């Protein structure tokens, strides 16, 4: 049995922390992990994600951003940035299947959960790698999420339990096929004067009778998302998060978790990729680099990347000062700028790929954020311009709330 | 040293003086009257000590660094002020490594506002202590009493306006808030001075970048205000989604430019990368400025098309910034060359 270096023993010293992370990564990370997932069955990806989560967990790096009381490390911003940079530099896997488990669930339960809920479900993530998904969007409720129609009716069962009986349909649940639990929004008061006011927030056990899941094949050939059909599904009353009809407000903390930390990591990875192109160009290994128009276009993309990373740094400083971030416009700037850059960057790379890029290639199963194929990445970039509020809706909000234009 | 100064207060001070002395009415009058160099106004503003911001304390300056100058460039860009300060500040900074005799002779009049300076990059000149050659489109050459020429052979040469064999021919620019000149040198005596060429280019790029962020910010603010008050079809036109999306995009361009310019002004990293960042910041900020000023005319509708309205002041300044000092393509090419050497 080998002993791995423990990076978290070196938090006091930046250089030592970096060195220990690199040493740990080179010890545990299989060199060709991406190659092994090309054309692999979904089950291989799921197994690999669980294995990687376990590796991270063993050295305390699965939940380093969580509070100490819940097994986290309360990692400082500076150390979190270093961790992200080193994971990006090594092109390490992202624990993508655990995104809801690691970010949305704790953001929701720390602020609004009961002690029992925190104890049961955060422990489940931390110690057993339980996978969570999100049941927010519906076929008729995308950008206009508050118009959701999935109903939850409170009832007493014949054996005296209080339950909510849920009926409806959810879409775009990432990794919903593999999730043990779901963070669910459903309407508990259809008569509420404002549509936002009648929504409640639940923990749904995905193994409950009446839950049907079906994968949604995407334009890039992957199927990270699925749709959920809920037919007379019983949710015990103790699985309500916060107060009945207060779900919309609680969902805001869930969504703000999504808009911040994940992009920090992805933007760092995009920079490593772009720096690699610059290094290759310097070594004469980039065929399109001598074309002055392409070179200039690439420099403009690179300028946008450095700019969005600078805004991310400011956003992180704000997160530290005020975790709820009040009315800061920075998360929406970051989402809009990053997603549009990502799309333009991959469109540029796809164009440079010429006919070679048009040849169908087996794709890497799983996290499309980590694909090395420009066509796959280009297609996946729509996930960033569409999800989390379409860019069009966010631009309306920016125009109204930041610039003060009339509604 | 800029650690010791509150940049927000400094900005407020600049803004108050500039809006009182060089505000929109003054700019409009200046443009209407043909844009000739206004020595009185320039003397008043420069005499406030702003030209001394970057000068070492030992030389009678305030010893503030680039972050303070960046604030000044940005505030001057908001006007857009009709003042030949950018090139004067650049030349003052370039002279910091010059011998005592040179600094003692030229810094005091430059700092007091009695003298303004112009800068020309990449000038082809003959060798020797007396030079022959030509520099065209020299920004603020019309107003300058002193020229710093960065020659293609790597020399940096100081030339006073009265130098023998120097002919200064003012060039009117479409942007009447700025002037220019062409210089003919014929067996003209010059004074070689030691100048850090990379630092000068970095400072020049950042000055243009900051001017662009200031101008873009000002014209976007004015445009958004107009969208709130202009009513058509019974509602403020800012309520139309097509216009909201365009202004939101402009705000994103501006914030992206500002973030990159701030990063470039801080200038962490090695020399190559720091210079590359300045070039990228210049190209990125100018692109934002041109895009925003261009659409500002359209968003203002008919009024934006008039000579009377100030939209065209910003539009013309933006296009001038794009073309100045070699233009943005040269900036992008320089960044590409620096970054491929740097990263590889």
């Amino acid at each position: 049995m080998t002993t791995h270096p423990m990076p978290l023993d070196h938090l006091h010293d930046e250089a030592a922390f970096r060195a220990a992370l690199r040493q740990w990564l080179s010890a545990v990370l299989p060199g060709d992990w991406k190659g092994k997932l090309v054309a692999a069955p979904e089950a291989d990806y799921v197994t690999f994600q669980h294995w990687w989560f376990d590796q991270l967990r063993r050295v305390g790096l699965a939940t380093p951003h969580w509070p100490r009381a819940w097994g986290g490390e309360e990692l400082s911003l500076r150390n979190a940035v270093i961790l992200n940079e080193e994971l990006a530099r090594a092109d390490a896997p992202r624990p993508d299947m655990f995104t809801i488990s690691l970010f949305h669930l704790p953001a929701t339960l720390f602020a609004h959960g009961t002690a029992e809920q925190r104890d049961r479900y955060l422990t489940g993530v931390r110690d057993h790698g339980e996978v969570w998904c999100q049941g927010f969007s519906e076929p008729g409720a995308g950008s206009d999420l508050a118009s959701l129609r999935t109903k939850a009716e409170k009832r007493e069962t014949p054996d005296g339990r209080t339950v909510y009986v849920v009926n409806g349909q959810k879409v775009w649940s990432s990794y919903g096929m593999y999730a043990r639990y779901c963070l669910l929004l459903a309407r508990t008061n259809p008569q509420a004067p404002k549509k936002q006011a009648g929504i409640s927030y639940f923990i749904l056990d995905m193994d409950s009778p009446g839950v049907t899941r079906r994968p949604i094949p995407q334009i890039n050939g992957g199927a990270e998302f699925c749709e959920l059909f809920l037919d007379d599904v019983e949710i015990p009353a103790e699985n309500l998060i916060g107060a009945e009809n207060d779900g919309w407000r609680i969902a805001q903390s869930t969504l703000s978790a999504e808009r911040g930390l994940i992009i920090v990591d992805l933007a760092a990875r995009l920079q490593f990729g772009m720096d690699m192109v610059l290094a290759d160009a310097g070594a004469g290994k980039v065929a399109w680099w001598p074309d002055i128009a392409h070179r200039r276009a690439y420099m403009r993309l690179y300028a946008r990347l450095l700019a969005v990373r600078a805004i991310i740094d400011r956003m992180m400083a704000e997160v530290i000062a005020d975790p709820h971030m009040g009315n800061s416009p920075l998360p929406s700037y970051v989402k809009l700028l990053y997603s549009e850059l990502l799309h333009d960057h991959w469109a540029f790379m796809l164009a440079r790929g010429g006919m070679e890029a048009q040849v169908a290639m087996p794709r890497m199963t799983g996290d499309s954020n980590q694909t090395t194929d420009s066509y796959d990445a280009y297609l996946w970039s729509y996930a960033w311009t569409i999800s989390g509020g379409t860019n069009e809706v966010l631009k309306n909000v920016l125009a109204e709330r930041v610039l003060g234009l009339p509604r | 040293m800029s650690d010791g100064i509150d940049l927000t207060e400094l900005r407020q001070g600049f803004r108050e003086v500039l809006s009182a002395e060089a505000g929109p009415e003054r700019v409009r009058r200046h443009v209407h009257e043909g844009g000739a160099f206004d020595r009185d106004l320039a003397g008043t503003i420069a005499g406030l000590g702003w030209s001394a911001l970057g000068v070492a304390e030992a030389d009678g300056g305030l010893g503030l660094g680039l972050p303070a100058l960046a604030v000044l460039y940005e505030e001057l860009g908001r006007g857009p002020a009709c003042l030949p300060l950018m090139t004067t500040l650049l030349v003052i900074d370039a002279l910091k490594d010059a011998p005592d005799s040179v600094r003692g002779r030229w810094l005091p009049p430059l700092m007091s506002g009695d003298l303004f300076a112009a800068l020309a990059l990449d000038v082809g000149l003959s060798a020797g202590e007396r030079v022959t050659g030509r520099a065209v489109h020299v920004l603020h050459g019309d107003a300058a009493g002193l020229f710093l020429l960065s020659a293609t052979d790597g020399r940096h040469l100081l030339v006073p306006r009265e130098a023998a064999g120097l002919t200064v021919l003012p060039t009117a620019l479409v942007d009447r808030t700025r002037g220019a000149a062409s210089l003919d040198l014929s067996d003209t005596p010059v004074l070689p001075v030691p100048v850090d060429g990379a630092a000068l280019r970095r400072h020049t790029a950042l000055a243009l970048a900051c001017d662009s962020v200031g101008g873009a910010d000002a014209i976007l603010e004015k445009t958004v205000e107009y969208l709130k008050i202009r009513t058509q079809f019974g509602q403020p036109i800012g309520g139309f989604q097509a216009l909201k999306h365009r202004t939101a995009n402009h705000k994103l361009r501006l914030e992206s430019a500002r973030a990159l310019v701030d990063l470039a002004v801080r200038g962490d990293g090695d020399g190559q990368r720091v210079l590359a960042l300045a070039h990228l910041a210049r190209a990125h900020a100018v692109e934002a400025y041109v895009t925003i000023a261009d659409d500002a005319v359209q968003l203002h509708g008919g009024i934006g098309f008039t000579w009377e309205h100030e939209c065209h002041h910003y539009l013309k300044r933006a296009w001038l910034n794009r073309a100045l000092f070699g233009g943005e393509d040269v900036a992008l090419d320089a960044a590409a060359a620096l970054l491929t050497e740097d990263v590889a």
Side-chain angles (χ1 to χ4, degrees), chain B residues 47-215:
Chain B
L48 296 170
W50 294 0
S51 299
L53 271 184
V55 178
E57 285 168 287
D59 284 326
L62 299 176
L64 299 172
L66 211 41
L69 286 173
V71 172
L72 179 54
Y73 293 131
E74 200 184 317
E75 291 303 311
L76 289 167
R78 286 184 67 89
C82 311
L83 296 164
L85 282 181
M86 181 194 281
T87 53
T88 303
L89 292 163
L90 290 169
V91 171
I92 286 174
D93 187 47
L95 291 180
K96 63 175 176 280
D97 297 327
D100 290 348
S101 57
V102 173
R103 299 203 321 282
R105 163 71 186 87
W106 294 110
L107 290 182
L110 288 171
M111 287 192 287
S112 67
D114 293 322
L115 185 70
F116 296 91
L119 168 71
L121 300 180
D122 303 312
V123 187
L125 296 170
S126 63
E129 288 173 13
R130 302 178 79 90
V131 303
T132 295
R134 186 172 159 76
V136 293
H137 310 136
V138 179
L139 182 64
H140 296 317
D142 58 326
L146 180 69
F147 300 94
L148 178 65
L149 309 181
S150 176
T152 46
D153 61 11
R155 288 182 302 164
H156 289 87
L157 308 168
L158 270 186
V159 193
R161 196 180 184 112
E162 317 74 59
L166 171 65
T167 311
V168 179
L169 281 171
T171 311
L173 298 174
V174 176
D175 172 13
R176 292 190 181 186
T177 66
R178 290 213 190 278
S182 61
L183 313 181
D184 269 307
L185 299 95
S186 172
D187 202 30
T188 302
V190 291
L191 178 65
V193 283
V195 171
D196 179 342
L200 175 60
R201 277 161 202 279
R202 171 173 180 241
H203 191 167
T204 304
L206 292 176
L208 282 176
C210 294
D211 188 85
S212 299
V213 166

Side-chain angles (χ1 to χ4, degrees), chain B residues 35-49:
Chain B
F37 173 44
D38 184 346
R39 181 170 294 280
D40 288 346
L41 175 65
T44 306
I45 299 290
L48 296 170

Side-chain angles (χ1 to χ4, degrees), chain A residues 296 302 395-396 400 406, chain B residues 241 244-245 249 273 328 333:
Chain A
R296 288 172 183 165
Y302 195 67
K395 284 176 186 178
N396 284 345
E400 288 159 16
Chain B
Q241 191 181 42
K244 279 184 186 173
H245 281 190
N249 283 332
R273 190 163 179 89
E328 68 178 343
D333 295 346

Side-chain angles (χ1 to χ4, degrees), chain A residues 22 74 103 140 157 172 191 215 360:
Chain A
R22 284 182 197 187
E74 292 175 12
F103 294 98
T157 61
W172 307 123
Q191 270 77 49

